Structures are given as C-alpha cells and as structure tokens.
Amino acid sequence: MKNLSNVSVPEYLTKLQQFENFQIEFEGSTYPMPYSTMVIQDHKLQGLRENEERLVLFDKIIDEYVDDKNSYLDVGSNQGVFVRHFNDQFENVAGVEASPYYIDLCRFLYSDMDVFTHADLNQQPLSSLFSEPVDVITSLSMIEYIHDKKAFVEDLYNLTGKICIVEGHSEDFAKNLDHVYEGFLTSQDWTVVRRPEVTDPGLNAPPSAGRPLWVCIK
C-alpha cells in the first residue's frame, strides 16, 4: 500500500474519532484506531477496515474493464483512501461524503486535492451533484444507509460511464440482503457481475463471511 499523505502522524491520530474501544499504539502513545488502514509518512496504521487487499482487487477489476482512465468517483469516500489511491491513475477524481468530520479530515490529509464534496445523499440525490458520466464509480458499503435505494441505484446507473463497483455490508449474507441489493442493481440496463471475492467485514462488525461485491458494466 503506497504512502497516502505526509502530514504529521500524531496530529492525524489526535483528530480521529473513537470507535468503541479500538485503539492503536504509535511511538509510545495510544490513539483511536482509524476507520481505514492508512499509510502516512510511510507508517502503516491499522484501521477497522483493511485496504491493501481491496485496493489490489479494485486495481485488477478496473484494469479488466477500463482502458482509458479519465474520471473516477467514490460515493461515500470516508477518509478518502480510494480517491487518493486512484488520483495517480485517473485524470480526474472526486469523492462524495455525508460526514463533515470526514470531509475536514480529507482536507487535512490531502491539502493538495480539492475534490471532496460534502453531501448527504438522503437529502439530495447524486444526480444533482454531477452532470457528466464518470468512467469508474465505487460505492463501498453505502447502499445500506440510503433510504431510497431504487433511486440511488438509478443515479449510479445514469452516472456510470464504464463500470460501477458496489460493495455490500458485513451482515448482508446472514440477512439475505445481498439478494435484495442485487435485485436493485439488476433492475438497471447494465451487466451485473457478482464477484467471487468478498471483502473484509471490518473489526467493529460481527463475525461474518465478508461483504459481497458486484461490478456493474455499461
């Protein structure tokens, strides 16, 4: 996993919210654990969600389906790991995030990137934020939190230029929600491929088989 930021590691860690009792040690001090695994000043900081395997997998998927990498959007960008990672591969990148806390954190981590939009997609549709298709969209562990899932998937479909990678949630298999979400995805006129791989449930999630993953191809 490549270095994502050169900010002060202790300064970054002091900005983090506490997730339950999850903590990490850095240079003899204890801090809240990041939500996402990060590499800052070449220090790998473990998060509640791992990113190394996911980034390798998403690189593989994108290379499989996309030749010209012009634009990328992460819907629910959280700490901006994926936006920062793909910044070297795409001409234009962007992230949308509902939490002001994460927007501020991204602006601190990546002061050279003014690409993060604060928007609650339960209050304003994704279609109101972007007018041009985006080559590659990722929507990772987002759909559970959207009230109008049908309209959200329609917006993803209309905005996708080439592929949209959709990740489910840690309890989807146990609750049969993977089939529910797949039904929303397949209702649109694109090809939906459920990947054989699953992603990590996350340290703060109940033990599970992982999170389902779909690639929606225009």
Side-chain angles (χ1 to χ4, degrees):
M1 187 175 179
K2 64 186 178 184
N3 191 60
L4 298 176
S5 177
N6 286 312
V7 299
S8 161
V9 176
E11 186 177 359
Y12 160 71
L13 292 172
T14 57
K15 292 179 178 291
L16 297 180
Q17 293 177 339
Q18 181 68 57
F19 286 100
E20 302 171 16
N21 294 318
F22 291 96
Q23 297 178 322
I24 62 171
E25 299 288 327
F26 182 77
E27 295 183 343
S29 297
T30 301
Y31 300 94
M33 179 178 285
Y35 179 79
S36 294
T37 297
M38 302 281 292
V39 177
I40 298 177
Q41 289 201 17
D42 294 320
H43 294 285
K44 180 181 173 182
L45 307 171
Q46 182 183 355
L48 298 172
R49 294 292 314 277
E50 78 82 24
N51 287 323
E52 291 178 288
E53 292 182 5
R54 287 202 293 167
L55 287 169
V56 169
L57 175 58
F58 296 165
D59 280 340
K60 174 185 173 183
I61 291 171
I62 292 170
D63 286 342
E64 183 177 344
Y65 292 105
V66 179
D67 293 324
D68 296 324
K69 300 176 181 177
N70 294 311
S71 52
Y72 166 76
L73 168 65
D74 189 21
V75 181
S77 50
N78 196 268
Q79 291 193 180
V81 170
F82 296 92
V83 177
R84 184 64 163 190
H85 174 81
F86 289 119
N87 186 51
D88 295 337
Q89 301 181 35
F90 289 81
E91 292 293 326
N92 299 286
V93 297
V96 176
E97 172 57 47
S99 167
Y101 160 73
Y102 281 123
I103 290 291
D104 289 343
L105 195 59
C106 287
R107 288 171 178 165
F108 166 73
L109 286 165
Y110 324 116
S111 59
D112 58 327
M113 297 176 64
D114 185 19
V115 298
F116 296 95
T117 299
H118 176 221
D120 183 345
L121 298 182
N122 285 318
Q123 302 296 323
Q124 61 184 118
L126 188 62
S127 57
S128 70
L129 303 175
F130 301 91
S131 57
E132 298 295 326
V134 179
D135 290 335
V136 176
I137 299 175
T138 51
S139 176
L140 310 178
S141 296
M142 268 292 294
I143 194 168
E144 177 183 43
Y145 304 110
I146 298 297
H147 299 159
D148 190 342
K149 294 174 174 51
K150 180 177 183 293
F152 175 66
V153 171
E154 288 177 355
D155 277 353
L156 288 178
Y157 170 78
N158 289 326
L159 192 58
T160 297
K162 295 178 181 176
I163 67 169
C164 180
I165 300 172
V166 178
E167 179 189 57
H169 298 263
S170 59
E171 296 185 274
D172 285 354
F173 294 117
K175 295 180 178 180
N176 207 38
L177 289 172
D178 56 318
H179 296 292
V180 174
Y181 299 152
E182 190 165 311
F184 284 114
L185 295 173
T186 56
S187 69
Q188 301 302 309
D189 189 23
W190 52 11
T191 301
V192 177
V193 177
R194 186 193 286 229
R195 296 290 299 196
E197 306 93 341
V198 296
T199 56
D200 69 301
L203 296 179
N204 62 328
S208 76
R211 303 181 187 224
L213 193 70
W214 298 270
V215 181
C216 305
I217 308 145
K218 280 288 190 75

